[in-house]
Amino acid sequence: MDLESASVAQDYSFANEYNEMDILGASQVVIHQDFKVQDLEKHQDLRNRFRGDFHTNHPESYFTYVEQRKAEDGAEKDRTFINAEKPQQCLYARTILNFGQYDSAGQADDVAVLNLQKDPLFHDFISRTERELTATDFAEALENFLGSLEVSGVNTEGDVIPFQRAISAIRNAKVDKNQTSHLNTTGLQYEASDLEKAAVSSQEGTLAEHFLVTSPIYLNLPKQDIRFVVKTRFESKEGQNGVKVFYRLQPIGLLGHYINAAEHFKAEVSNVLDNVSIGEFSLN
């Protein structure tokens, strides 16, 4: 027998002797490094223990699943972690159902996750109105949300303008280059250029200074009143008659609304579940 074979035989002999000693726990074994280990659990009628991942964006379904699992016989100590550090990106809660405790740590691989979904209508509204558009295109962008999103216009005096009327006013707006007023009755922001001051008016009545959108930022969270200021830019090219007006909407205090959503989410989860921590957990 060569030296390499003798060394392998010695390793095997040591492993056999070590496993017979009363040192290892019932779930531990010493094997040679050349052994290939295969998990045969999938060939059994039953799994050795329950574990898995449950994902949903519906809070009620998440809470029901967690509470039912906690009520089962043999349930281990659970713990929930809420990630609300960057609410403008994501909001989610993660319950580890077999977390265990210090002197009897669980495997931490049986998990339920609530990942809130951003309200698609609200974020589509932002996407369609944040870039500069002509009056016609801007009006058409707003018309996409008639009857589906709660929106109203507000003029400089604070009067509420029905959404349909506010859209019509923009579609029918006219520009008067010769008017030199301060534009404080038009309801639109004037951005300086090398042109003389231009005023915008509409046969449909007062134009909206801002739009008020009442919507949740995340689905299944309370609605918030979010203000979008109307921004305009006037453009005139040499050799061309007339002035072009471009419109866009700028949300005001949007990050604050995301933070409000995050605070409500943390409170809702904490009110329903026990052992809640704010932050992320990873198993080392």
Side-chain angles (χ1 to χ4, degrees):
M1 180 181 296
D2 56 31
L3 291 178
E4 182 178 356
S5 298
S7 177
V8 170
Q10 186 177 10
D11 288 343
Y12 276 99
S13 176
F14 172 77
N16 289 332
E17 292 177 5
Y18 196 89
N19 289 324
E20 292 175 357
M21 298 178 185
D22 190 17
I23 298 176
L24 301 177
S27 61
Q28 296 175 309
V29 65
V30 175
I31 61 174
H32 189 268
Q33 63 179 359
D34 293 332
F35 268 91
K36 182 178 181 180
V37 179
Q38 292 185 334
D39 186 359
L40 302 179
E41 183 187 43
K42 62 183 179 180
H43 301 293
Q44 301 173 178
D45 292 335
L46 300 174
R47 305 187 80 185
N48 294 331
R49 60 183 179 83
F50 188 91
R51 72 272 192 194
D53 293 336
F54 172 76
H55 290 261
T56 183
N57 52 29
H58 297 284
E60 184 178 349
S61 179
Y62 167 72
F63 294 136
T64 299
Y65 177 82
V66 171
E67 293 295 345
Q68 288 178 345
R69 290 294 314 281
K70 289 168 59 177
E72 292 175 355
D73 292 338
E76 299 183 48
K77 190 175 181 63
D78 66 277
R79 184 172 289 275
T80 297
F81 300 90
I82 299 175
N83 187 315
E85 184 178 352
K86 296 181 179 179
Q88 65 274 30
Q89 296 179 9
C90 63
L91 278 179
Y92 66 88
R94 180 169 172 255
T95 298
I96 302 176
L97 295 160
N98 59 345
F99 189 84
Q101 51 195 21
Y102 183 77
D103 57 351
S104 56
Q107 294 290 336
D109 56 0
D110 190 10
V111 177
V113 178
L114 170 61
N115 195 347
L116 289 189
Q117 179 185 351
K118 290 182 178 180
D119 187 283
L121 271 177
F122 175 73
H123 288 86
D124 189 37
F125 182 84
I126 293 179
S127 176
R128 289 177 181 268
T129 60
E130 65 184 355
R131 55 193 175 91
E132 290 186 343
L133 298 168
T134 63
T136 299
D137 291 340
F138 186 61
E140 290 179 354
L142 293 174
E143 284 174 341
N144 282 287
F145 303 96
L146 280 171
S148 59
L149 192 64
E150 190 176 340
V151 186
S152 58
V154 181
N155 63 21
T156 52
E157 285 75 34
D159 299 324
V160 176
I161 307 170
F163 193 26
Q164 177 66 76
R165 183 182 171 192
I167 295 173
S168 298
I170 291 172
R171 186 184 292 277
N172 295 287
K174 304 295 182 183
V175 180
D176 182 2
K177 289 179 59 179
N178 298 317
Q179 186 172 333
T180 57
S181 67
H182 293 293
L183 303 176
N184 57 1
T185 60
T186 66
L188 292 174
Q189 302 296 318
Y190 176 83
E191 295 184 5
S193 68
D194 56 354
L195 304 173
E196 64 271 29
K197 285 188 175 180
V200 180
S201 61
S202 175
Q203 295 179 351
E204 299 293 329
T206 305
L207 290 161
E209 184 269 339
H210 70 268
F211 286 89
L212 191 65
V213 178
T214 302
S215 170
I217 290 183
Y218 282 90
L219 292 178
N220 300 299
L221 289 184
K223 293 181 178 180
Q224 300 188 59
D225 292 328
I226 304 162
R227 190 161 67 99
F228 289 78
V229 173
V230 180
K231 294 290 186 179
T232 59
R233 181 175 64 84
F234 298 85
E235 181 182 283
S236 179
K237 294 184 179 179
E238 188 175 352
Q240 295 183 0
N241 294 326
V243 177
K244 286 186 177 181
V245 185
F246 296 91
Y247 301 82
R248 65 181 177 87
L249 293 183
Q250 178 177 309
I252 304 300
L254 188 56
L255 179 58
H257 290 291
Y258 274 111
I259 293 173
N260 288 340
E263 291 303 313
H264 185 90
F265 179 60
K266 289 188 287 187
E268 182 178 358
V269 175
S270 299
N271 287 337
V272 177
L273 301 180
D274 300 322
N275 304 318
V276 175
S277 299
I278 308 300
E280 274 286 300
F281 172 80
S282 59
L283 197 63
N284 293 325

